[in-house]
Amino acid sequence: MVVGFGSGIAAWFALGDPRQWQAMLCLGAALGLAGFVLGSGRSGRSLGWFALAATLGCALVWARSILVEQPRLTRPTVTQFAGTVKSVDHLVAREATRVLISSNTPGLPPWLRLSIDDDKVPPGIAPGAVIQVRARLAPPPPMALPGTYDFARDAWFRGLGGVGKPLGPVTVVRAGEGRGLDRVRAGLRQHIEQRLDAGPAGIAVALATGDQNGVGEEDADAMRRSGLTHLLSVSGLHIAAVVAFAMLVSLKLLALSERLALRLNLVLVSAGVAAAAGVGYTMLTGAQVPTVRSCVAALLILGGIALGRDALSMRLIATGAMVVLLFRPEALAGASFQMSFAAVTAIVALHSTRLARRLLQRRDEDMVARTGRALLGIVATGLAVEIALAPLALYHFHRAGLYGVFANIVAIPLTTFVIMPSEAAALALDAVGWGQPFWWICSLALQGLLLLAHAVASTSGAVALLPSMPGWAFALLVAGGIWLCLWNTRLRLAGLVPIAAGGLAAALAPSPDLLVTGDGVHLAVVDRGTPLLLRERTGDYVRSLMAEAAGFDGDPEDLGSRPYSACSRDACVALVRSAGTEWRLLATRSRTFIEWRTFTRACAESDIVVADRRLPRACTPRWLKLDASALRRTGGLAIYLGSKPRVDSVAGRVGVHPWAQFER
């Protein structure tokens, strides 16, 4: 049922038209009816419940997309407005502060987000502050290129109506003081930053509050490349450490009393204490999807322990997923939800096999054999997780770490048994001034973790790259993986068929030859895997975006540096070769007026023309004309040339979902 429920939600995101959503609901209802009425035995009931759950999932996310609708900007605007600060995020890597504002200015959406440079943040910016500012605001930006992060989708479900930057000083009308958990998080962040250096402090803050914005860009990239980025997202590992520590300490302390030990079920009491600690830690770290899932799982495990039952099973994962999807069905489309559930499902599936039980189950043996068996379990578990996460990482981020198994062998025990306990002890003992020795241990361990991440990330071949993966290939990989994990008989091996088909399709998927952003300002020609940028002074964000979309591990180069291109201050002409076919590209790179006859002649001689302005009708290239008016209808593009050229657009991927911003 849970897989069916998630499949219905996924179908709503994958299908781009209300008529298709209606067809999905009708098909699900028909299959459910057929399963219950025409089917016989377990197979019929399974089909019926699966189809019914898929129908309900599709209907739920469709209904939620309507219920969360909030006013939003339709075009950029410059305006003066006032509002109340609701949250503040410090982005250390970008040297900026991100502020969520509840606006009370007529004509503006109720929720806006501003990015303020750190050197321009005035005192008193905190939750509850009232500010006035003149800013340039714009609608939440859509997916920049096909297959990249869709911020507009997440902004829609969060009710965010616009984003922007101040054009002058930010005036604090009334200073804010964080309340409740916001105040606790801000206090913890400041306290940790005072005790540790910048690099270790960013990770320590992430572990204590769930805020990853304090991690520097180089450190965050090293954690991603080394397969250790999951340590920054508070999830199963962190919840397990907190719950286990709380249960162990409470059980040992209560057992010191003979009266309590004889009259109470101390395991039940300590399970309650551990549950309270897990819920408190979840709330403190912001109750993100992986944290909520892990907290639900921990509560179920504690309940199983209290009842004397083994709660570690697929039903545990299914319950956690159902809780999240019932309240936030849109979470299914995010990489966080997919990767957190894929990891824990792979772990449970591995340890439920007969081979794993035979090899990894504890037994009475000498210390050397016991240590070797434990090490084998860590390696096997890490390998299973990396295999499960690789397709998700390649689909969402176009890259996956290859050495994460070996890095995690060291990093997970270091985080669980050294970093988190020492940080917790340091924070607790700072109340009486005795925390410094534990801060020293914590700092040393965090520096070791960062050293490990950078060493693994810099190793040759540490990252596998994939420029694009077809959606249907990704669906095959996910379906095969779920099938492989859910069955516990030899029938599970049938899941290898869609996995093999999806993996082969992903590996053989062609790379784009041309990448164009939705505003027409930025363009990259992909030459043998290397993106060549149209503009020499392209910012870091666009450079990393183009490299990611091209599946390139490095810094893009300039188009004008190649012998087959001729670039001036105003335009570039380049010959793009693909599959034995040569295409002539003309792209403007300034707003300067170009003489009409010269430009129209150049258009006629070109196969593809790209510009960030509206081009005259007389500009008629041989194949594709991408000016401002055309790009407003398509959004960002990935263009595949060769014998059968095709165009993949952001508008085609988004369809007519409510957050779509494209002209029709």
Side-chain angles (χ1 to χ4, degrees):
M1 279 194 65
V2 179
V3 173
F5 193 73
S7 299
I9 297 172
W12 185 83
F13 281 106
L15 302 174
D17 187 273
R19 291 172 297 182
Q20 296 176 334
W21 306 336
Q22 294 167 2
M24 169 66 192
L25 295 179
C26 293
L27 177 63
L31 286 176
L33 184 63
F36 287 123
V37 175
L38 303 178
S40 59
R42 186 176 182 181
S43 299
R45 293 195 305 272
S46 298
L47 175 62
W49 284 115
F50 181 91
L52 177 61
T55 305
L56 293 175
C58 183
L60 175 65
V61 69
W62 190 356
R64 177 161 167 78
S65 71
I66 297 172
L67 293 174
V68 300
E69 181 177 2
Q70 294 284 350
R72 61 173 180 168
L73 295 174
T74 57
R75 63 186 63 188
T77 182
V78 175
T79 184
Q80 180 93 15
F81 70 94
T84 304
V85 175
K86 294 300 180 182
S87 66
V88 179
D89 294 324
H90 300 275
L91 311 180
V92 173
R94 301 182 186 179
E95 297 182 348
T97 297
R98 186 178 289 161
V99 182
L100 180 64
I101 301 170
S102 173
S103 170
N104 52 17
T105 303
L108 289 180
W111 293 99
L112 300 167
R113 197 183 76 179
L114 286 183
S115 293
I116 310 172
D117 294 337
D118 280 345
D119 58 351
K120 298 179 181 178
V121 177
I125 288 285
V130 177
I131 65 171
Q132 284 186 342
V133 62
R134 180 176 174 81
R136 183 185 186 277
L137 301 174
M143 191 187 300
L145 293 169
T148 56
Y149 172 58
D150 193 353
F151 176 76
R153 179 193 65 206
D154 289 352
W156 177 269
F157 284 101
R158 286 157 50 188
L160 189 62
V163 297
K165 292 197 69 172
L167 295 179
V170 179
T171 303
V172 178
V173 178
R174 186 185 69 212
E177 296 182 0
R179 299 177 180 178
L181 291 176
D182 288 331
R183 187 171 185 175
V184 174
R185 292 189 196 101
L188 280 174
R189 180 180 62 81
Q190 294 175 359
H191 186 81
I192 293 171
E193 288 175 348
Q194 292 172 357
R195 296 294 189 275
L196 298 173
D197 295 334
I203 298 178
V205 169
L207 295 177
T209 69
D211 182 7
Q212 301 180 35
N213 295 316
V215 182
E217 186 174 358
E218 293 184 0
D219 292 339
D221 184 62
M223 296 290 281
R224 281 192 296 269
R225 293 172 60 88
S226 60
L228 301 179
T229 190
H230 66 94
L231 297 177
L232 302 178
S233 176
V234 177
S235 56
L237 172 68
H238 312 81
I239 292 291
V242 169
V243 168
F245 181 75
M247 187 169 184
L248 177 65
V249 171
S250 60
L251 184 62
K252 296 298 183 183
L253 291 178
L254 291 172
L256 294 177
S257 169
E258 182 179 358
R259 178 176 297 179
L260 293 177
L262 293 175
R263 296 186 178 184
L264 296 177
N265 184 343
L266 296 188
V267 173
L268 182 61
V269 175
S270 61
V273 173
V279 172
Y281 185 55
T282 299
M283 299 301 295
L284 177 64
T285 53
Q288 300 298 319
V289 170
T291 320
V292 172
R293 185 266 304 162
S294 303
C295 183
V296 171
L299 294 179
L300 290 174
I301 290 175
L302 290 171
I305 292 174
L307 296 173
R309 298 281 299 276
D310 181 11
L312 196 61
S313 68
M314 285 296 175
R315 291 183 180 86
L316 170 73
I317 303 169
T319 304
M322 200 67 178
V323 169
V324 174
L325 293 179
L326 282 173
F327 293 97
R328 291 181 57 189
E330 69 275 9
L332 181 78
S336 175
F337 178 94
Q338 295 175 17
M339 299 184 81
S340 63
F341 276 95
V344 70
T345 302
I347 293 172
V348 173
L350 170 69
H351 288 271
S352 66
T353 61
R354 293 181 180 178
L355 179 62
R357 289 175 176 174
R358 186 166 63 249
L359 292 178
L360 306 179
Q361 194 171 30
R362 290 187 178 183
R363 61 201 69 186
D364 187 14
E365 55 189 357
D366 59 76
M367 183 177 295
V368 175
R370 189 161 55 247
T371 303
R373 200 174 302 279
L375 184 61
L376 176 62
I378 293 175
V379 174
T381 302
L383 185 60
V385 169
E386 292 298 323
I387 292 174
L389 297 185
L392 302 173
L394 290 172
Y395 180 77
H396 289 285
F397 311 117
H398 305 280
R399 61 178 61 195
L402 297 180
Y403 303 148
V405 175
F406 308 103
N408 277 289
I409 292 175
V410 177
I412 289 178
L414 182 66
T415 303
T416 306
F417 300 115
V418 181
I419 295 175
M420 292 188 67
S422 61
E423 183 178 359
L427 289 171
L429 293 176
D430 270 351
V432 293
W434 296 348
Q436 189 57 40
F438 291 95
W439 283 122
W440 179 81
I441 296 172
C442 184
S443 176
L444 197 64
L446 287 169
Q447 290 173 5
L449 179 65
L450 287 174
L451 183 64
L452 172 66
H454 283 278
V456 174
S458 61
T459 304
S460 177
V463 178
L465 301 169
L466 187 69
S468 63
M469 182 187 296
W472 61 270
F474 178 66
L476 283 176
L477 287 167
V478 172
I482 292 175
W483 184 278
L484 191 66
C485 290
L486 291 188
W487 288 91
N488 53 17
T489 65
R490 289 188 176 182
L491 190 60
R492 75 193 318 168
L493 299 179
L496 296 176
V497 176
I499 290 175
L504 183 63
L508 297 179
S511 300
D513 297 292
L514 195 62
L515 299 168
V516 183
T517 57
D519 55 7
V521 174
H522 300 288
L523 173 151
V525 175
V526 183
D527 180 18
R528 299 177 184 178
T530 303
L532 308 174
L533 300 180
L534 174 66
R535 283 173 162 79
E536 297 177 355
R537 297 182 179 180
T538 302
D540 291 339
Y541 170 74
V542 175
R543 299 180 80 88
S544 63
L545 181 74
M546 292 295 189
E548 176 185 306
F552 179 69
D553 188 20
D555 190 38
E557 301 178 15
D558 297 326
L559 179 60
S561 64
R562 291 299 193 265
Y564 46 78
S565 66
C567 294
S568 67
R569 185 176 62 88
D570 301 320
C572 272
V573 176
L575 297 178
V576 183
R577 296 178 178 87
S578 177
T581 306
E582 189 172 84
W583 301 77
R584 186 179 179 87
L585 168 70
L586 169 63
T588 63
R589 58 178 189 175
S590 79
R591 305 291 294 184
T592 305
F593 174 77
I594 302 176
E595 200 274 327
W596 188 84
R597 291 184 179 179
T598 302
F599 190 75
T600 54
R601 189 184 308 115
C603 283
E605 295 172 352
S606 302
D607 298 294
I608 305 170
V609 176
V610 181
D612 60 347
R613 67 184 83 173
R614 186 182 180 89
L615 297 178
R617 291 185 179 180
C619 175
T620 54
R622 288 189 286 263
W623 181 51
L624 191 60
K625 178 181 176 180
L626 299 172
D627 63 352
S629 59
L631 289 170
R632 280 196 295 269
R633 295 190 298 269
T634 65
L637 299 170
I639 301 174
Y640 299 82
L641 303 174
S643 57
K644 295 181 179 180
R646 63 181 179 90
V647 177
D648 185 10
S649 69
V650 170
R653 295 210 175 194
V654 175
V656 293
H657 283 94
W659 57 89
Q661 305 172 17
F662 308 104
E663 295 180 358
R664 298 294 171 183

